[in-house]
């Protein structure tokens, strides 16, 4: 499992096998002809073709080449935390398990990004695929003024023809083009690292105008910047389109957090105009609402109750005034945004370590997942959180300790309420299917490895992976960001 793009393997199918390949015949200059030493040995072109380029059958020659110089390849599954690489060993992806696999590099790595919904249609399954996204960079120390908000278009994301779910009939009937992946970027200059960025789209005013796309980015400086990136998105697909100079300036700058940086940020999915939650390292949470005139108003009366940093915020997918928070104090709290006291309604100790991230199921709103600093993650049934007393006594309906480093991101599949993606500090992104039933005997060994839950569907290796999101319009497609850039892939298992 490695970060190498699928197209690299397609261009160099013998990259790990070091056998010498025959050189193409470039012809012989006039006057330098030589006698063919095999001329008298073969009587027909057919016989020469069968014998191969050096007088031996191709199969025999290739077998000798492989035996002489082939690199030894271990085909066993590598599981971080359970297996170790020997000196000189590297990881390589099993391309038969990826329907699509691409990596794209940016000038500076991004700590956070968000996928942007486009007008190319829902439930897309054709290739090459196109993805729009926005990310915030983390420039090196001393070069903070090189930071930027990156509005991105990734196109030419072709299907991997080595995928195990592609049969010969499908390949023959497929007219899809093969293209090289392209990353286009429209940048907005920033002077600080972006800790978290989230996008929000307002409804289209008419069929002839695109929806307004807003972004909110939490800066290391403590400010929260709101930008309108609608013009940047239009510039990708409209030849000659000029982005107004004013589009690089924020619509609003939220300074309620003063100089306290934060990582928690979420737009409400139920307030079309735009309503934003932001949380900082002091435990304060602020709500900002967009007005009818297009401005933004922040309620400076903070929601308080956490004794540690607010690490994650998420609005309820079905209740307009309810949101959840996760904190380094190890708790997840449920809040009523209308509360005049600005105090939480429910608090649950979900871990003895930091609660880093949470995700609210869009398909089954009573399910909430939390990811923790000790590498564990849990699923909670909010029907058990109807009162503070019952919530305090509740236990997770599922708990997993597969990862050995902190959980940095997790997200429910947008249309399947049993599938969850999880990122960890052990450089892996895992996919899980909670619908798989636990069997006491079978659960002891999965893929001949002890203590691997049967719910684990897939392990994808990505160095310093930080955050992942499902694409809402390409079923099963995932985008992730890490220390070396972006990854876009789709497995045959989801």
């Amino acid at each position: 499992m490695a970060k190498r793009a699928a197209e690299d393997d397609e261009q160099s199918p013998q990259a790990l096998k070091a056998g010498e390949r025959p050189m193409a015949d470039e012809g012989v200059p006039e006057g330098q002809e030589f006698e063919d030493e095999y001329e008298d040995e073969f009587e027909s072109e057919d016989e020469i073709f069968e014998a191969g380029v050096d007088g031996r059958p191709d199969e025999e020659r290739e077998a000798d080449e492989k035996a002489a110089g082939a690199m030894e390849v271990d085909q066993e599954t590598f599981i971080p935390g359970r297996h170790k690489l020997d000196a000189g060993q590297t990881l390589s992806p099993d391309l038969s398990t990826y329907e699509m696999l691409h990596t794209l590099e940016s000038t500076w790595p991004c700590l956070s990004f968000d996928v942007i919904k486009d007008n190319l249609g829902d439930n897309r399954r054709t290739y090459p695929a196109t993805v729009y996204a926005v990310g915030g960079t983390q420039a090196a120390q001393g070069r903070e003024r090189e930071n930027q908000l990156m509005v991105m278009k990734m196109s030419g994301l072709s299907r991997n023809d080595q995928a195990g779910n592609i049969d010969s009939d499908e390949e023959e009937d497929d007219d899809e083009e093969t293209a090289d992946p392209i990353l286009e970027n429209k940048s907005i200059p920033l002077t600080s690292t972006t800790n978290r960025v989230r996008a929000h789209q307002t409804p289209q005013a008419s069929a002839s105008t695109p929806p307004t796309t807003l972004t909110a980015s939490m800066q290391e400086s403590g400010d929260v910047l709101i930008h309108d990136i609608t013009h940047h998105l239009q510039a990708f697909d409209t030849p000659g389109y000029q982005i107004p100079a004013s589009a690089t300036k924020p619509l609003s700058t939220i300074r309620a957090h003063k100089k306290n940086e934060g990582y928690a940020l979420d737009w409400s999915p139920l307030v079309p105009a735009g309503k934003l939650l932001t949380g900082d390292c002091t435990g304060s949470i602020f709500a900002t609402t967009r007005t009818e005139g297009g401005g933004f108003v922040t309620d400076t009366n903070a929601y308080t109750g956490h004794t540690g940093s607010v690490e994650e915020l998420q609005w309820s997918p079905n209740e307009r005034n309810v949101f959840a928070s996760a904190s380094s104090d190890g708790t997840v709290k449920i809040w009523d945004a209308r509360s005049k006291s600005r105090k939480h309604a429910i608090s649950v100790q979900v871990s003895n370590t930091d609660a880093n991230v949470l995700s609210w199921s869009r398909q089954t709103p009573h399910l909430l997942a939390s990811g923790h600093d000790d590498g564990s993650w849990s699923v909670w049934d909010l029907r058990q959180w109807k009162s503070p007393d019952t919530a305090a006594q509740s236990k997770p309906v599922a708990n997993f300790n597969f990862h050995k480093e902190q959980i940095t991101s997790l997200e429910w599949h947008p249309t399947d309420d049993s599938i969850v993606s999880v990122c960890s500090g052990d450089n892996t992104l895992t996919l899980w299917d909670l619908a798989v039933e636990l069997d006491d005997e079978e659960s002891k060994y999965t893929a001949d490895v002890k203590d691997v839950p049967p719910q684990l569907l897939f392990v994808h290796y990505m160095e310093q992976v930080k955050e992942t999101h499902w694409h809402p319009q390409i079923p099963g497609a995932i985008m992730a960001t890490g220390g070396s850039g972006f990854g876009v892939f789709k497995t045959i298992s989801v």
Side-chain angles (χ1 to χ4, degrees), residues 20 124 129 413 473:
E20 296 182 2
R124 304 200 300 266
H413 190 286
Q473 298 165 283

Side-chain angles (χ1 to χ4, degrees), residues 263-416:
Y263 295 86
L265 182 72
D266 195 39
W267 292 95
S268 171
L270 303 179
V271 181
K275 187 167 185 177
L276 182 69
L277 287 172
T278 55
D280 61 38
C281 293
T282 69
S284 298
I285 301 170
F286 294 93
T288 299
T289 305
R290 193 180 190 192
T291 64
E292 292 183 2
F296 292 86
V297 176
T298 300
D299 186 345
T300 56
N301 186 10
Y303 298 89
T304 58
H306 281 296
T307 58
S309 170
V310 179
E311 299 293 305
E312 181 83 276
L313 287 165
Q314 241 183 50
W315 288 97
S316 166
N318 67 332
E319 295 187 68
R320 184 184 179 99
N321 296 302
V322 176
F323 66 89
S325 60
S327 169
S328 60
D329 62 17
T331 67
V332 166
K333 300 184 188 298
I334 306 297
W335 309 72
D336 185 337
R338 299 165 297 185
S339 171
K340 294 182 178 180
S341 67
R342 295 296 191 265
K343 299 296 182 182
H344 57 270
I346 299 292
S347 180
V348 175
Q349 191 77 33
V350 297
S351 174
N352 293 325
T353 61
D354 297 5
N356 294 331
V357 289
L358 60 83
S359 179
W360 213 316
S361 172
R362 294 311 194 236
Q363 295 296 311
T364 308
H366 64 261
L367 293 180
L368 184 77
S370 60
H372 318 128
D373 214 49
D374 60 1
S376 69
W377 65 281
S378 304
V379 178
W380 304 85
D381 187 341
L382 299 185
R383 293 175 298 185
Q384 300 176 9
W385 294 12
K386 293 183 177 180
S387 70
D389 292 338
T390 58
Q393 301 297 321
S394 66
K395 301 294 182 183
V397 295
N399 183 71
F400 300 98
N401 294 286
F402 172 77
H403 291 286
K404 301 307 179 184
E405 299 291 340
Q406 72 275 14
I407 305 300
T408 61
S409 177
L410 81 166
E411 186 170 277
W412 292 90
H413 190 286
T415 59
D416 190 327

